Amino acid sequence: MAFKLDAEPVDTQKPTVGRDVRETVGEVRVADPRVRCTDVNVHYGDKHAIKNISLDVGKGEVLAMIGPSGCGKSTFLRCLNRMNDTVRECRVTGEILLDGEDINASHIDVVPLRARVAMVFQKPNPFPKSIYENVAFGPRIHGLCNSKSDLDVVVESSLRKANLWDEVKDRLDDVGTGLSGGQQQRLCIARAIAIEPEVILMDEPCSALDPISTAKVEQLIEELRQQFSIVIVTHSMQQAARVSQRTAYFHMGDLIEVSETDRLFIKPRHQLTEDYITGRFG
Ligand SMILES: Nc1ncnc2c1ncn2[C@@H]1O[C@H](COP(=O)(O)OP(=O)(O)OP(=O)(O)O)[C@@H](O)[C@H]1O
């Protein structure tokens, strides 16, 4: 499934937008959004961590979020499945639509919401249960399977989609925490896939992995894009360039620039983006 921008990017040679400008430059909207955020603000007590951010996540796209430490990438990511609800003193305003429905509306139950918008964390966090149970747990509690044989099918297909099946098919009863770090992260991705989400949020999913495991997860991200929308926070510009179709650059709570990934790295339009990608800031 391909995603399309709402408007064609304008070609420029040098950044045309100066460092003092804080309005977002680039294509925040896509033609067929899975998620549409408008004027999202996040406060932690008095701290204004996310400032007036509008941004779409398209169907079939990987959107990368980059920027210096503390710029608000994880905070924004956590807005998309209301993980910030669990943070005391955190206040989120603005509108976040998932398939056109306001996820912050009072009638929305966060449990099914987090099944639709799943999350994979920086550090692999399998349950202290068997490999099979790690994947079966979600479908069972969300009532997605009626029988053991249905569950077996979901477990196998999720592990296959996570490119882990061949490595674990003969040891499904072994404990998930006994796998290598890279395998554990793919198990967590299988666990997320098993509940049939529409969006997968990934918060630095490879930062605890070696290069070979990282390559496997990146390959997996490309495959999963066919079925899910993916939003990935990464500190690695190379990773953003390898896995994403669009990249969003954050700076001190502002969304500075959103562009097609190749373009953002080759011809940034905002001076702050250029400063960051050329190593002058961050
Ligand atoms: N629970 C919290 N309570 C108070 N302030 C917080 C909390 N979580 C984050 N912040 C602040 O909000 C701002 C954005 O933090 P956030 O973790 O979203 O940034 P980030 O870009 O993901 O950083 P990093 O790349 O280091 O993970 C920072 O100034 C941070 O100190």
Side-chain angles (χ1 to χ4, degrees):
M1 196 194 311
F3 85 99
K4 286 213 314 265
L5 294 172
D6 235 3
E8 283 301 309
V10 180
D11 226 12
T12 58
Q13 292 305 315
K14 280 269 159 209
T16 51
V17 180
R19 291 188 180 92
D20 51 337
V21 176
R22 288 295 182 273
E23 285 84 35
T24 307
V25 177
E27 294 77 34
V28 297
R29 298 301 186 204
V30 298
D32 190 15
R34 172 73 72 196
V35 179
R36 171 155 287 181
C37 303
T38 306
D39 294 335
V40 174
N41 285 273
V42 180
H43 289 83
Y44 294 107
D46 293 339
K47 166 134 191 112
H48 196 178
I50 286 292
K51 301 170 189 165
N52 265 326
I53 289 186
S54 296
L55 181 62
D56 285 355
V57 182
K59 293 178 182 156
E61 83 163 320
V62 180
L63 172 70
M65 304 203 301
I66 62 168
S69 190
C71 66
K73 306 176 293 291
S74 298
T75 296
F76 184 72
L77 191 77
R78 289 197 305 263
C79 291
L80 304 183
N81 70 350
R82 290 184 49 184
M83 289 287 282
N84 288 320
D85 287 14
T86 61
V87 180
R88 274 188 62 215
E89 295 231 302
C90 182
R91 191 163 51 86
V92 179
T93 60
E95 186 177 66
I96 302 174
L97 304 179
L98 172 64
D99 295 328
E101 189 178 23
D102 180 359
I103 68 165
N104 290 306
S106 55
H107 69 277
I108 295 287
D109 180 346
V110 295
V111 175
L113 171 68
R114 289 180 193 147
R116 292 171 69 192
V117 186
M119 189 140 189
V120 174
F121 296 88
Q122 185 170 2
K123 195 164 170 292
N125 59 348
F127 304 134
K129 291 173 178 283
S130 69
I131 293 167
Y132 183 96
E133 278 303 317
N134 261 278
V135 185
F137 183 77
R140 198 185 286 120
I141 61 160
H142 289 289
L144 299 178
C145 295
N146 295 323
S147 64
K148 171 76 168 69
S149 59
D150 279 359
L151 207 50
D152 289 349
V153 170
V154 169
V155 169
E156 177 172 341
S157 75
S158 304
L159 287 166
R160 280 190 188 282
K161 283 183 197 158
N163 290 339
L164 190 58
W165 175 249
D166 288 341
E167 291 161 68
V168 301
K169 63 175 188 269
D170 299 323
R171 47 189 291 211
L172 292 175
D173 293 331
D174 288 3
V175 69
T177 47
L179 295 170
S180 74
Q183 289 172 327
Q184 287 188 30
Q185 195 60 307
R186 281 179 284 141
L187 179 61
C188 292
I189 293 172
R191 185 175 68 186
I193 293 169
I195 47 175
E196 299 174 6
E198 293 160 57
V199 183
I200 305 178
L201 310 177
M202 298 184 165
D203 197 351
E204 298 182 52
C206 300
S207 65
L209 306 185
D210 63 77
I212 292 172
S213 300
T214 295
K216 286 187 181 173
V217 171
E218 289 184 359
Q219 166 72 30
L220 180 55
I221 289 171
E222 172 57 25
E223 290 164 19
L224 295 177
R225 175 167 81 85
Q226 311 307 320
Q227 197 178 343
F228 311 101
S229 301
I230 297 176
V231 187
I232 179 171
V233 168
T234 177
H235 275 281
S236 162
M237 287 186 261
Q238 289 82 358
Q239 180 166 72
R242 284 191 296 265
V243 303
S244 71
Q245 286 72 55
R246 264 190 323 152
T247 296
Y249 172 64
F250 288 72
H251 177 96
M252 296 174 73
D254 290 302
L255 176 56
I256 295 296
E257 178 164 354
V258 191
S259 296
E260 286 179 308
T261 296
D262 290 349
R263 188 213 157 99
L264 185 125
F265 288 114
I266 295 166
K267 289 182 187 175
R269 281 169 273 191
H270 200 296
Q271 191 62 51
L272 286 172
T273 317
E274 184 177 89
D275 290 350
Y276 184 70
I277 65 174
T278 56
R280 255 178 277 164
F281 182 88

